[in-house]
Amino acid sequence: MTDPLAVWHYEHVNFARLLDLLESQVAAFHRGEHPNYDLMGDVISYLRCFADCVHHPREDVAFARLTKRAPGMELVINRLLQEHRVIATAGEELSKILDGATGDVLFPRAALEAAAATYLVYYRNHLATEEREILPRAAKLLTQEDWAAVAATAPAISDPLFGDNVAARFRELRKQIAREAAVSQLE
């Protein structure tokens, strides 16, 4: 069995990379440049598909198990559960705006910037809280039985972007991520 905490952390690192990419495109938009709306849409699509449908449901089970073992964590866990819903809703709103942008629908600049800012701020804070407060406690408190329940929550699918078999929809995004990584290694 793969170490579930390592997988959890690895997925967070990948999500953060995608948020960086999204933020760079939003910054280009803010400067009056033409961002790659398709790329932005792919980032949101992946996060809505994989994170919202696979990663977050597993976390929800881990959170429930952790709350039973550490009742003092209930407040932070309840906030994280609420953030899952906020992130999903913010992602849906941003996705609608991006779909319109790729279809040449006019929309207020502020709408895109506000939707992206909400999504980015919530997501980044969410990841940081989990890394700082949840993962260390989960490592100490959750049992093999708990991790088996977590694993059974969502289907065991290959990651459609960071897995071995990249889904056709995400091939361009995967190439962009590789380009970004190559550039950052040169710096």
Side-chain angles (χ1 to χ4, degrees):
M1 176 182 209
T2 304
D3 177 10
L5 280 169
V7 170
W8 197 345
H9 173 71
Y10 175 75
E11 289 173 353
H12 284 176
V13 169
N14 288 335
F15 299 164
R17 290 168 70 190
L18 292 171
L19 295 173
D20 290 345
L21 185 57
L22 177 64
E23 188 168 33
S24 72
Q25 294 298 310
V26 172
F29 177 81
H30 183 73
R31 291 188 304 267
E33 299 170 9
H34 296 286
N36 185 335
Y37 294 117
D38 289 329
L39 190 68
M40 293 169 73
D42 287 347
V43 167
I44 298 302
S45 177
Y46 169 80
L47 289 170
R48 292 183 69 217
C49 168
F50 186 76
D52 290 352
C53 298
V54 177
H55 181 86
H56 289 159
R58 286 185 294 192
E59 285 181 342
D60 292 349
V61 172
F63 292 167
R65 299 270 177 150
L66 195 53
T67 299
K68 288 179 184 175
R69 301 195 186 293
M73 295 191 70
E74 190 171 339
L75 185 62
V76 70
I77 288 173
N78 284 340
R79 190 181 82 238
L80 290 169
L81 290 168
Q82 181 182 22
E83 287 174 3
H84 282 171
R85 293 185 294 277
V86 171
I87 289 167
T89 301
E92 183 178 345
E93 177 65 24
L94 184 53
S95 182
K96 286 177 187 174
I97 292 170
L98 291 171
D99 286 346
T102 58
D104 293 328
V105 173
L106 293 177
F107 57 90
R109 293 182 67 81
L112 175 75
E113 290 179 337
T118 300
Y119 192 74
L120 289 164
V121 167
Y122 266 93
Y123 224 125
R124 287 189 190 285
N125 180 64
H126 183 80
L127 293 174
T129 301
E130 287 183 3
E131 289 289 321
R132 183 181 62 250
E133 297 184 36
I134 300 299
L135 269 64
R137 297 297 299 272
K140 291 179 184 175
L141 298 174
L142 296 184
T143 66
Q144 288 298 325
E145 180 183 319
D146 294 327
W147 290 117
V150 168
T153 301
I157 64 167
S158 175
D159 186 318
L161 175 59
F162 294 100
D164 293 331
N165 297 315
V166 178
R169 163 140 173 103
F170 299 120
R171 286 190 186 126
E172 189 57 38
L173 180 56
R174 177 78 174 253
K175 288 177 189 175
Q176 181 65 29
I177 292 167
R179 285 190 293 269
E180 297 276 331
V183 168
S184 66
Q185 287 178 353
L186 294 175
E187 295 176 344

